[in-house]
Amino acid sequence: MTELGLVASQLFNGISLGSILLLAALGLALSFGLMNVINMAHGELLMMGGYLAYLAYRMPVGPWRLPLALLLAAAGAALFGALLELTVVRRLYGRPLDTLLATWGVSLLMQQGARSLFGPVGVEVTAPDWLAGAIPLRSIGLPGVELPLVRLFIIAVAGVVLAGLALVLTRSRWGRLVRAVQEDRDMAEALGINSRRVDLVIFMIGTGVAGLAGAALALIAPVTPTVGQSYIVYAFLVVIVGGLGSLTGTAAAALAVGLLSAWLQVFTSVSLADVLLLVVVMAFIQVRPRGIVTRLSRALEEA
Amino acid sequence: MSSNAIALEGVSAAYGQSRVVHSISLAVAPGDAATILGRNGVGKTTLLRTIVGLHPAASGRIVLDGDDVTEARAFTRARRGVGYVPQGRGVFQHLTVEENLELGLAALRGRPGGGGTVPGHVFEIFPVLDRLRGRKAGLLSGGEAQQLSIGRALVTRPRLLILDEPTEGIQPSVVQQIADALAVIRRELKVAVLLVEQYLAFAWSVGERFYVMRGGRIVMQGETAAQAPESVAHLLNI
Ligand SMILES: Nc1ncnc2c1ncn2[C@@H]1O[C@H](COP(=O)(O)OP(=O)(O)O)[C@@H](O)[C@H]1O
Ligand SMILES: [Mg+2]
């Protein structure tokens, strides 16, 4: 592989990692931005999506396996998210520390539940044949560089989810309700908007996307009871760097963290790369404590 | 009893252990207007937020059109006819004037003839809103934002309109427009108005009944026709 080829393949790895981080972080960013809730079980919803995809793959449904797996993972995680919101998050409203502890408890329970149901060892989901290949870049002067189709597929899924959410939030009537609640919850309520219902739906969307992330991830890595833990830390970094509650910021941050992580891994070991990544993020939030994108409303609150 | 648009029966409110509103009772009939006067910090805003449902009542009853709504969430009170114009106007800065107005339609859910579009009389009462439809609310002047806030409350088709210091920081010509608008709203729409004000002349021009608050209690009340504004000035000035 040429030097240029190495750069190209790490670039691609970075984008690929960034797209998974985006799917993992979107829900966190949405629910933190709207409800000021940090859901420590978010990673376990990703894990749950992975296992749901695994279960869907054992059903005899032929070519519909992959879409069915993605759908089941998203819907299952969203339903579980609704349950979590109604039974835990909503009851601890305005008590962020209690919410943190309670959802952390839920995350431990879910990990133990997965261990009991599926065992401590990972389960595999094999991507369908049509995603098995890779696109070689030899013809454009990059011999030895290949873009695996399955990773391209995940990038596409992340792109579609991001675009869909952006459209709904900025163009639809319901999206306008979300933005109103985010800017001034009390005023929104005083106009007849049921802000708790808006919270519930946003929370479900966020957990549903986490489930989707888990199903996508299952195509390239084994699903284990602790798979959520290994991604959630990065997802939190993405949310912090991106600025709370901003889709654009979250997307930019996911890409930045993905690229940086892939690039650091060229020079050092994986664990040292993680440490360096953390150092860079810490340096960044010294410069921009509120992330890449700061919302107008927050800027006004400060004024 | 139930002929009142709003009746408060011994309503108190607190922040944690400290009670800032003590056993307030008052009532406003449809088409009538009452003003609450008082210095900064006496509990006027807290009382209004308690009526709207954004702050819990520590005791007492809040009766809307004969129904007890003391425990009801704010959005259900809005759907039952409480319109709120908060202190500081509460417009959504990064939505346009039109989008702000359309948010008021949320209160019409489940009501006969609900949904649809912003009614034309809002633009008749506040023509400036028609001209500024597409402008971001964050770019409006104070007077324009205040008219937007009142216009938006009208979109919810209130039976009770609650306004918290609507003349604060607004130029005199707009203050007069707001007074005229409130007269139309009461007369033509039969809306009850509950106003919090520090500007005596405005309070006297709008309401027939006044209440003066001090230390979270009503310490004086009467009819604006029977008393000169000067008679309460000593309770308001330092
Ligand atoms: N969020 C709050 N937390 C604690 N105390 C508050 C809060 N808001 C207002 N207060 C206190 O309650 C009292 C009444 O405030 P407020 O209702 O805003 O008065 P007003 O509208 O008459 O100026 C004041 O002493 C104020 O300091
Ligand atoms: Mg006040």
Side-chain angles (χ1 to χ4, degrees):
Chain A
M1 205 187 288
T2 62
E3 200 161 295
L4 192 62
L6 186 71
V7 171
S9 67
Q10 283 312 99
L11 197 68
F12 179 75
N13 285 345
I15 295 171
S16 168
L17 179 59
S19 66
I20 293 167
L21 292 182
L22 176 62
L23 289 173
L26 270 175
L28 279 178
L30 282 176
S31 56
F32 197 99
L34 185 70
M35 307 153 74
N36 281 322
V37 160
I38 295 179
N39 174 16
M40 294 296 283
H42 195 75
E44 278 56 51
L45 282 142
L46 184 145
M47 174 267 282
M48 181 179 171
Y51 281 112
L52 284 172
Y54 164 75
L55 291 179
Y57 257 74
R58 293 170 36 139
M59 285 185 223
V61 283
W64 292 102
R65 266 166 152 194
L66 183 60
L68 185 82
L70 295 178
L71 195 73
L72 192 73
L79 279 180
F80 193 87
L83 197 71
L84 187 62
E85 207 273 346
L86 290 168
T87 56
V88 179
V89 174
R90 174 165 301 204
R91 294 180 196 279
L92 298 175
Y93 208 81
R95 289 153 64 186
L97 210 58
D98 292 345
T99 312
L100 209 76
L101 287 176
T103 52
W104 186 48
V106 171
S107 94
L108 295 180
L109 285 176
M110 289 178 75
Q111 284 177 42
Q112 190 51 49
R115 221 168 271 127
S116 312
L117 284 172
F118 300 99
V121 202
V123 298
E124 305 262 355
V125 171
T126 24
D129 290 344
W130 55 276
L131 280 181
I135 299 177
L137 294 187
R138 193 178 304 111
S139 56
I140 57 164
L142 294 170
V145 183
E146 295 197 324
L147 310 184
L149 283 176
V150 62
R151 286 185 179 263
L152 284 170
F153 175 76
I154 295 173
I155 294 171
V157 169
V160 167
V161 168
L162 180 68
L165 268 178
L167 264 181
V168 167
L169 288 176
T170 58
R171 296 272 178 270
S172 74
R173 231 161 222 271
W174 185 77
R176 195 184 295 165
L177 299 191
V178 177
R179 283 182 293 150
V181 172
Q182 181 164 21
E183 183 172 339
D184 187 340
R185 176 177 297 270
D186 281 354
M187 195 61 234
E189 279 269 329
L191 290 170
I193 296 164
N194 184 352
S195 67
R196 292 294 166 77
R197 182 136 87 204
V198 172
D199 287 346
L200 174 64
V201 177
I202 280 289
F203 199 81
M204 287 178 69
I205 291 176
T207 49
V209 172
L212 195 63
L217 196 59
L219 296 173
I220 53 178
V223 185
T224 66
T226 53
V227 65
Q229 296 294 302
S230 39
Y231 279 88
I232 202 64
V233 179
Y234 294 100
F236 274 122
L237 290 186
V238 166
V239 173
I240 291 166
V241 172
L244 304 170
S246 150
L247 285 187
T248 328
T250 307
L255 196 61
V257 171
L259 286 171
L260 188 64
S261 177
W263 183 68
L264 286 172
Q265 283 177 24
V266 177
F267 301 104
T268 64
S269 66
V270 173
S271 50
L272 190 57
D274 278 354
V275 173
L276 289 175
L277 181 67
L278 203 62
V279 170
V280 173
V281 167
M282 270 157 47
F284 177 80
I285 55 179
Q286 295 303 312
V287 185
R288 283 197 73 111
R290 317 199 117 226
I292 296 174
V293 176
T294 34
R295 285 194 71 107
L296 176 67
S297 63
R298 290 174 200 282
L300 288 171
E301 268 168 32
E302 297 265 291
Chain B
M1 255 309 297
S2 62
S3 67
N4 285 317
I6 180 77
L8 306 185
E9 300 169 7
V11 170
S12 304
Y15 293 99
Q17 293 302 309
S18 85
R19 215 164 251 227
V20 298
V21 170
H22 298 270
S23 193
I24 301 280
S25 298
L26 58 79
V28 190
D32 279 359
T35 309
I36 299 172
L37 302 151
R39 285 178 195 152
N40 278 333
V42 299
K44 305 181 299 295
T45 296
T46 306
L47 176 63
L48 294 192
R49 286 175 56 84
T50 307
I51 300 172
V52 174
L54 296 173
H55 192 87
S59 63
R61 280 184 0 122
I62 299 166
V63 182
L64 201 66
D65 265 327
D67 295 327
D68 188 332
V69 295
T70 317
E71 301 295 325
R73 294 259 317 271
F75 81 92
T76 52
R77 295 189 207 190
R79 291 181 186 184
R80 294 168 77 151
V82 177
Y84 182 44
V85 178
Q87 192 165 11
R89 296 150 205 142
V91 299
F92 297 101
Q93 310 275 344
H94 53 254
L95 298 182
T96 65
V97 166
E98 186 155 37
E99 289 170 336
N100 265 277
L101 290 169
E102 283 172 0
L103 282 175
L105 296 168
L108 304 182
R109 283 187 59 168
R111 279 203 246 173
T117 53
V118 174
H121 67 251
V122 172
F123 297 114
E124 279 162 33
I125 295 174
F126 297 113
V128 65
L129 298 181
D130 199 15
R131 284 201 303 282
L132 296 173
R133 272 172 195 261
R135 178 154 321 166
K136 279 268 189 299
L139 301 176
L140 300 180
S141 72
E144 289 161 353
Q146 191 59 265
Q147 295 180 68
L148 172 58
S149 187
I150 301 173
R152 186 181 59 184
L154 290 183
V155 175
T156 69
R157 282 209 247 128
R159 304 165 68 99
L160 167 68
L161 182 60
I162 293 179
L163 304 102
D164 197 348
E165 306 208 25
T167 65
E168 198 179 33
I170 284 171
Q171 65 200 62
S173 64
V174 181
V175 170
Q176 187 53 48
Q177 282 177 31
I178 291 174
D180 295 345
L182 288 179
V184 172
I185 291 164
R186 291 173 52 194
R187 198 174 56 239
E188 320 240 309
L189 306 175
K190 296 281 175 286
V191 172
V193 172
L194 183 59
L195 174 73
V196 157
E197 213 15 280
Q198 304 220 33
Y199 179 11
L200 275 180
F202 183 78
W204 249 251
S205 76
V206 169
E208 43 270 340
R209 201 164 171 77
F210 72 86
Y211 299 86
V212 182
M213 271 180 83
R214 202 171 180 179
R217 292 189 167 80
I218 290 174
V219 292
M220 184 179 175
Q221 54 182 296
E223 308 292 323
T224 52
Q227 270 168 289
E230 291 72 34
S231 64
V232 301
H234 68 283
L235 291 168
L236 303 181
N237 305 327
I238 319 257

